[in-house]
Amino acid sequence: MKDLCYFCGMKLHVFNPEHDIALAFNRRHQTMPHAAQELRMNLGWIPALWAGDGDVVLVDDVPYAVKAAKRSGLKMADVLFLGKGEIKGMLFDEVLPWGWDLTVKTELEEAGVDKRLLPDEGELIDIRHLSNRRKTINSLQVLRMRLEDQTCGESAYITTLESGRKVLEEWKNVVIKAPWSSSGRGIRYVNGTMNEATKNWVHRVMEKQGGVMVEPYYNKVKDFGMEFFADKDGSVRFEGFSLFITQNGAYTGSLLASNDEKREMLSRYVPATLLEKIIERVITNAPRLFEGHYSGPFGVDMMIVAREDGNGFLLHPCVEINMRRTMGHVALSLTPPPLAPKQLMRIIHDVNYKLKVSDLENNFIQTI
């Protein structure tokens, strides 16, 4: 009884990086790709970076998590790492996964977490709907309204290969995306015409997910994002900028610096006033988009695009909306103190996946 009382009012955190894959399959039980399983096992401890003292972090292997967290050398909360067999009957105040989906809900339910702390079927349907890349179409229109001369961004949702052919005729070079997929997966690049392999992939995605997103291929200069948090009362707050690098669409690293420094770096390409307008529009319009169906962290991926005439840059204000915690949120939890040097946060694979923070490299400064 003493142990149970100790956990009263504590939060349970879960790192489920396979969340986007789980959304695509939408099954109670799903065997995840080995890389996703390995990532969760190796980095299951990272919620300790944003958790509170006394919180619990659910991990696959407790001894490994303790050692990995200690080896990281990062400042983190005084949390307790526990496995699935150790949380049944514990009294938590809130359950906070990386992202909500049917698979993680089932996992927690079967581990004995109080069902009242878990979303019901309707809430999961809403979250999955909000996570569909199709939602970016309306968001783009809202964010670009009366800012068309400073921004770019178009997208179409197609449900047949014939409609896809018509879009290709108009845009020529495009990016095709599955409605739900994890970072770097579920994306195809097409230059002019689709080959048979791409057609077959598009057909399979249409059969399983209803359609695909098609967007013009832009001359991207910089990736970045804006990270937010939606409170249960419907209000939304801006948490900070996320400056990151990708390789073949997959995340590879984030800049650790103050928000002012990140804003200054972005303002070399687009006006700081434009960035502030976009922040205000997300804060104003997100509650209407969510309609009370989501509370928690979310991120909006954006990019800086070179103008076709070579005369300056444009802002693409909504490449993707992630209805979950993001690596940008993780980077914000590791923001260096004022006047401290900028740093680089990366996920590397050296036998195991590791979260590494190091001095900023010159080549990263150039890419950011």
Side-chain angles (χ1 to χ4, degrees), residues 141-155:
Q141 294 173 349
V142 171
L143 294 177
R144 292 193 63 203
M145 191 177 301
R146 297 186 298 277
L147 296 172
E148 288 84 359
D149 61 330
Q150 300 180 76
T151 63
C152 65
E154 293 180 89
S155 58

Side-chain angles (χ1 to χ4, degrees), residues 11-30:
K11 294 180 173 62
L12 174 64
H13 300 265
V14 187
F15 179 55
N16 55 313
E18 69 279 10
H19 166 69
D20 294 329
I21 301 173
L23 285 177
F25 286 102
N26 198 34
R27 298 171 183 166
R28 290 191 174 276
H29 300 94
Q30 175 64 43

Side-chain angles (χ1 to χ4, degrees), residues 42 45 61-73 76 81:
N42 295 160
W45 59 270
D61 185 318
V62 173
Y64 182 92
V66 172
K67 291 179 181 178
K70 186 176 181 180
R71 281 199 301 265
S72 75
M76 61 191 70
F81 298 116

